[in-house]
Amino acid sequence: MHHRHVAAALSAVLLAASAQPPQGVDDRRLRAADRTAEWLAAGRTYSEQRFSPLAQINTDTVKGLDLAWYGDVDTERGQEATPIVVDGVLYVTTAWSKVKAFDAATGKPLWSYDPKVDPSVGQIACCDVVNRGVAAWNGRIYLGALDGRLIALDAKTGREAWSVVTVDQSKAYTITGVPRIVRGKVIIGNGGGEYNARGYVTAYDAETGKQLWRFYTVPGNPAEGFETPELARAAKTWNGEWWKLGGGGTVWDGMAYDVETGLFYIGVGNGTPWNQKFRSPGGGDNLFLSSIVALDPDTGKYRWHYQTTPGETWDYTAAQPLMVATIRWQGRPRRVVMQAPKNGFFYVLDARTGKLLSAEKYAPVDWAERVDMTTGRPIERAAARYDRTGRPVIVSPGPLGAHNWHPWSYSPQTGLVYLPVTENNGPYGDTAELKVNARGYNTGVDAAAALPLYRAPGAPKGGSVRSYLQAWDPARAKEVWRAENAVYGSSGVMATAGGLVFSGDHSGTFAAFDAATGRKLWSKPTQAKIVAAPMSYEIGGAQYVAVLAGARGLPDGQGRTSAVSANNSRLLVYKLGGAARLPTDTFKAVQESTIQSRLNPPLLTGTNEQVIDGQASYARVCSGCHGAGAVADKSIPDLRYSTTLNSFALWNAVVTDGSRAAQGMASFRDILAPGEAETIWHYVISEANKAKAAEDVARRR
Ligand code: CA
């Protein structure tokens, strides 16, 4: 059916839906979410297809799409949330788990809520202090806060209704994911798979916050008994004393419910530590790491699982977004669960039984040749198992994966899945012993040991190779088109009944593509990088498209135009004929800062040994926020430009005494060993001098 016919058919249904008075979200409304003009959940519907049935903005009209309103966001770290729209109100989360409510038609701010997360929690957030959105139910808005709280807010006022702590806060658990609500139960997972977490999901009564069930993804200490029979069986796939570091398997992003099968699907993360030699000496599949697991949402009971990467050792989480759809499979409609996890294979599973239907590479992959369709197991390349060979190796994809958390979308019109793909590789090396740090990154991988391989003849380009928006046919397991990104990086995706696919990028634009061909039909500058996913809703006869912008510093050539966010974090909302304009004046406020605009490091006084030690400590403790190799890739200061390089006392005041705790840099006193603050200081000075020398050479040319 052409999209204009769909549009005509849908508009009658949608008008009927919007004519009903607001009544709060319930199960009936969520089950009918695919026919409403609103966007009631981050994934839009239970199936999480993120497909908007609205078609006022379509392949013909999209050229008239422009900014309707924008809302400034007062944080400047990664912005990963998909907004929701319920009863005319748009709810969105920002970095540091803050929630904002806007009038969805006018952009008028209605309320905001700050859970006041202790900045020191940022130290145990592997991948920035982000949050991917809220859930709505019966007049309330539900938030998972970075520090492990699950919080219910009054949807009208933003006032707290209840709050429960869902994790052991003495451990390195964090929440960045979206709570899911199924039949009155709020279900939430957590992150921490690089630290000391044992993964699980928990269901709470949405009205009271009372805990109803919990499903652990990996077995605990056998001496304490197993919570379920499945965990007793899973324990047979583990060796050694895996529970001491938790084992990993965190459910930090992908979850979906299917109204047809009645099952709730969760995506399970990587092992802790990554290197399987330390986690489970002698190997084993290590269930349910890197698996898709189906549960009964009423009881939390196990139904089936499929493990994508048995005995994973490369940070190959299967925590990526999950999607349920009815696709044409061998000529017949078939209910399936789909996932494109980090490991580079696109999986199609039967939604009822978990039977593997298809597993093909959607990006360059060299850790495995293929997946054996009889056993469902990957045929691995032996050299990729650095933990067994003891030899460093470059593997594709690397730890960031061929697809990460960035939302994808399925269009029932085209039968295609649209996903952001990153082609990359990563260095993996074995290490003799695992030095465990209670609040630090514990991977057991010596990446530096593999770095010289990048200098060998014929070696791949290091790290990030290219990225693109890909249209994938899940029935034929084939790419249909791709739209290459000018600047490497992923951004969330939404397909619509207007025959369009919307996505932002890292060069600072937001664009619409023809869903059938991939031709770019429209784009607007955003002054900010975009990693989050767009969404769409209709109010008063107008279709809106909204996206949260802001991530990892400013795009090349952009200046700061926001008074409250260094990376121009904003909620951007578009409609046909929109007349709003982003500010163009560069914001010149003087901020109290230790960062200067030019490289001006002191001479290096540290020894070679100090610099080498500092490099290892930096990689383990600092790189997650301040960037690999001391080069910042986020809106977090590039330490090579810091004035604190001039004096160890100044540096130590920040690093050890926490003098910039209010700005989000909490004290690392309890994390760093004696002398580590100083060796890291020497290392950063060394890197700053190298960068300065390179600049000088470039200037003389
Ligand atoms: Ca991980």
Side-chain angles (χ1 to χ4, degrees), residues 194 270 315 317 342:
E194 274 61 52
N270 58 278
D315 190 21
T317 73
K342 280 186 180 182

PDB file of all heavy atoms in Angstrom, residues 194 270 315 317 342, ligand 1:
ATOM      1  N   GLU A 194      31.237  -3.848  33.394  1.00  0.00           N
ATOM      2  CA  GLU A 194      32.695  -3.665  33.371  1.00  0.00           C
ATOM      3  C   GLU A 194      33.233  -3.554  34.792  1.00  0.00           C
ATOM      4  O   GLU A 194      34.430  -3.384  34.996  1.00  0.00           O
ATOM      5  CB  GLU A 194      33.071  -2.393  32.599  1.00  0.00           C
ATOM      6  CG  GLU A 194      33.203  -2.589  31.107  1.00  0.00           C
ATOM      7  CD  GLU A 194      31.920  -3.052  30.444  1.00  0.00           C
ATOM      8  OE1 GLU A 194      30.874  -2.400  30.664  1.00  0.00           O
ATOM      9  OE2 GLU A 194      31.944  -4.062  29.737  1.00  0.00           O
ATOM     10  N   ASN A 270      27.496  -8.454  28.559  1.00  0.00           N
ATOM     11  CA  ASN A 270      28.758  -9.191  28.511  1.00  0.00           C
ATOM     12  C   ASN A 270      29.152  -9.756  29.876  1.00  0.00           C
ATOM     13  O   ASN A 270      28.539  -9.448  30.893  1.00  0.00           O
ATOM     14  CB  ASN A 270      29.873  -8.258  28.018  1.00  0.00           C
ATOM     15  CG  ASN A 270      30.032  -7.036  28.896  1.00  0.00           C
ATOM     16  OD1 ASN A 270      29.305  -6.074  28.748  1.00  0.00           O
ATOM     17  ND2 ASN A 270      30.962  -7.059  29.846  1.00  0.00           N
ATOM     18  N   ASP A 315      33.507  -8.431  25.161  1.00  0.00           N
ATOM     19  CA  ASP A 315      32.497  -7.425  25.507  1.00  0.00           C
ATOM     20  C   ASP A 315      31.331  -7.456  24.517  1.00  0.00           C
ATOM     21  O   ASP A 315      30.746  -6.431  24.187  1.00  0.00           O
ATOM     22  CB  ASP A 315      33.112  -6.008  25.562  1.00  0.00           C
ATOM     23  CG  ASP A 315      32.154  -4.982  26.154  1.00  0.00           C
ATOM     24  OD1 ASP A 315      31.212  -5.385  26.862  1.00  0.00           O
ATOM     25  OD2 ASP A 315      32.336  -3.777  25.889  1.00  0.00           O
ATOM     26  N   THR A 317      28.036  -7.823  24.279  1.00  0.00           N
ATOM     27  CA  THR A 317      26.723  -7.842  24.919  1.00  0.00           C
ATOM     28  C   THR A 317      25.636  -8.163  23.905  1.00  0.00           C
ATOM     29  O   THR A 317      25.772  -7.878  22.721  1.00  0.00           O
ATOM     30  CB  THR A 317      26.371  -6.463  25.494  1.00  0.00           C
ATOM     31  OG1 THR A 317      26.061  -5.613  24.397  1.00  0.00           O
ATOM     32  CG2 THR A 317      27.484  -5.858  26.284  1.00  0.00           C
ATOM     33  N   LYS A 342      26.030  -6.375  19.484  1.00  0.00           N
ATOM     34  CA  LYS A 342      27.386  -5.893  19.199  1.00  0.00           C
ATOM     35  C   LYS A 342      28.182  -6.822  18.292  1.00  0.00           C
ATOM     36  O   LYS A 342      29.005  -6.364  17.517  1.00  0.00           O
ATOM     37  CB  LYS A 342      28.146  -5.752  20.521  1.00  0.00           C
ATOM     38  CG  LYS A 342      27.855  -4.496  21.307  1.00  0.00           C
ATOM     39  CD  LYS A 342      28.825  -4.496  22.489  1.00  0.00           C
ATOM     40  CE  LYS A 342      28.668  -3.309  23.388  1.00  0.00           C
ATOM     41  NZ  LYS A 342      29.684  -3.361  24.469  1.00  0.00           N
TER      42      LYS A 342
HETATM   43 CA    CA B   1      30.092  -3.871  28.244  1.00  0.00          CA
END
